Amino acid sequence: MPMIPRLSIATFAAALSLSALVAQADTPVSYTEKGKALFSFDAPDFWTVHVGGPRDLSDPKVNQSRSVSRLIGLQPATESRIWVGFISPAGVTDFADAKEYLSEIGPFLVKNAEIEKRAEKVIGGRPARTVSGSGNRDGKAVNFTAIAIDLPHNRMAISVVVMEAGFGQDNLAGVNRMFASFRVGG
């Protein structure tokens, strides 16, 4: 199985901590609930934004329905080897809840995940925690970073970045601009 250079995780983590990046003509995206924006960020130019609204999904294996919050997924228009998702799941109110939530959904995003680094950050002026590592997705080696950001009013924003070997490094600048532009509310 091809390995993704560890430099990709280190580069992403270092750039994520930068507070000022080059200004771009990116497009604002807001994550809303009941007509109020919980958080916003700028989607890079030439990235595709997919939005899935809240819904209930049925799991035929356990004959049980599960409520899924709105999900915003982003991917460069010409690059399928990098994906970014943002969600603010109902009932996830603190870092402990975010860790549990990520442990439940993690296997759907990355198989055989190995955590290599944990860090505390500030994103959009808010406390945040990151977990970075490697694993595989759809049979391909990937690196990932999961980010939990503390929002006001007992809410959390959760983002996951999944990067497959060979992704265009120039797209990493777009990912970093998203997090540099992150802000609470609209």
Side-chain angles (χ1 to χ4, degrees):
M1 174 177 353
M3 292 302 296
I4 298 173
R6 301 280 183 234
L7 181 60
S8 296
I9 290 176
T11 302
F12 175 71
L16 185 60
S17 66
L18 297 176
S19 60
L21 294 170
V22 177
Q24 299 287 323
D26 299 332
T27 303
V29 175
S30 293
Y31 188 102
T32 60
E33 184 175 89
K34 297 179 184 175
K36 293 185 180 182
L38 297 180
F39 60 87
S40 299
F41 60 91
D42 294 338
D45 288 342
F46 306 107
W47 279 59
T48 303
V49 178
H50 298 276
V51 180
R55 63 188 183 273
D56 288 328
L57 296 178
S58 297
D59 185 346
K61 293 179 184 175
V62 293
N63 197 23
Q64 187 175 9
S65 180
R66 176 179 163 185
S67 180
V68 178
S69 299
R70 172 180 313 284
L71 172 69
I72 299 174
L74 300 99
Q75 196 166 30
T78 59
E79 173 71 79
S80 63
R81 293 172 288 198
I82 187 167
W83 177 85
V84 180
F86 287 89
I87 194 167
S88 183
V92 177
T93 63
D94 57 25
F95 288 114
D97 289 346
K99 182 178 179 181
E100 182 179 334
Y101 178 80
L102 284 166
S103 71
E104 290 175 8
I105 67 159
F108 295 101
L109 298 172
V110 176
K111 306 275 188 221
N112 305 317
E114 292 184 27
I115 294 174
E116 298 163 7
K117 182 178 179 184
R118 296 177 191 272
E120 292 189 17
K121 306 236 180 249
V122 175
I123 298 176
R126 305 296 301 175
R129 294 186 183 163
T130 66
V131 175
S132 299
S134 60
N136 59 59
R137 180 176 178 160
D138 298 329
K140 298 175 184 168
V142 296
N143 284 331
F144 67 89
T145 299
I147 302 138
I149 305 168
D150 187 25
L151 299 176
H153 312 296
N154 293 319
R155 291 299 296 256
M156 298 295 290
I158 295 177
S159 180
V160 176
V161 181
V162 179
M163 302 162 284
E164 182 183 316
F167 74 91
Q169 290 290 317
D170 55 327
N171 290 310
L172 199 53
V175 173
N176 291 322
R177 283 197 319 273
M178 278 186 244
F179 290 102
S181 70
F182 186 94
R183 60 205 170 274
V184 172

